[in-house]
């Protein structure tokens, strides 16, 4: 079965400073448990804020290193989920369910892409 990577993008400027609510974490835990039992979820994790990240860029034969925060960035990858699904449609349905556990004040975008095998 193909694997799909869902890159969870958030707008750090609009995300709650205190992070996810306990209720959101409860709903997220329930969904993660369901996905794990269904054999769909292979791995998932949130990421630290971009202010704690570092970008390493290769351009024109040169490498540059820039510490966060990255003020020019609106949305950042805030986490990921690696799922195994029968097709893209199923991967998207699981992603929709993930998005729906969030409260209305969150702005979250997931980019779902199939993992290239071999």
């Amino acid at each position: 079965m193909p694997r799909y990577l869902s890159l969870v993008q958030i707008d750090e400027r609009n995300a709650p400073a205190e992070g996810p609510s306990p209720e959101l974490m409860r709903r997220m835990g329930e969904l993660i448990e369901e996905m794990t039992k269904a054999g769909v979820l292979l791995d998932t994790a949130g990421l630290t804020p971009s202010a704690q990240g570092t970008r390493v860029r290769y351009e024109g034969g040169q490498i540059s290193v820039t510490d966060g925060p990255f003020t020019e960035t609106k949305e950042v990858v805030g986490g990921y989920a690696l799922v195994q699904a029968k097709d893209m449609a199923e991967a998207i349905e699981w992603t929709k369910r993930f998005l729906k556990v969030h409260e209305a004040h969150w702005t979250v975008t997931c980019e779902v892409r199939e993992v290239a095998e071999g």
Side-chain angles (χ1 to χ4, degrees):
M1 256 199 291
R3 296 179 301 155
Y4 298 88
L5 181 64
S6 180
L7 298 167
V8 182
Q9 300 170 343
I10 62 168
D11 185 338
E12 286 184 321
R13 298 173 301 164
N14 296 332
E18 67 279 3
S21 69
E23 181 61 22
L24 170 57
M25 294 307 294
R26 182 192 62 75
R27 290 191 307 269
M28 187 74 65
E30 289 172 356
L31 179 61
I32 287 171
E33 183 177 342
E34 180 183 349
M35 293 175 74
T36 301
K37 286 180 179 177
V40 174
L41 186 62
L42 301 176
D43 191 26
T44 189
L47 301 175
T48 58
S50 65
Q52 297 173 18
T54 301
R55 286 187 179 160
V56 182
R57 180 179 175 94
Y58 180 76
E59 180 180 19
Q62 300 296 313
I63 291 183
S64 63
V65 177
T66 307
D67 292 331
F70 311 111
T71 55
E72 74 282 359
T73 302
K74 181 178 175 187
E75 288 187 331
V76 299
V77 176
Y80 70 93
L82 182 62
V83 300
Q84 187 168 328
K86 64 182 177 192
D87 54 26
M88 177 66 87
E90 182 184 13
I92 289 171
E93 285 306 312
W94 284 110
T95 300
K96 287 179 182 178
R97 290 190 57 196
F98 164 78
L99 290 171
K100 288 180 182 178
V101 302
H102 291 78
E103 293 99 354
H105 59 268
W106 283 86
T107 301
V108 184
T109 303
C110 289
E111 180 180 337
V112 181
R113 297 173 60 185
E114 186 172 351
V115 174
E117 304 290 347

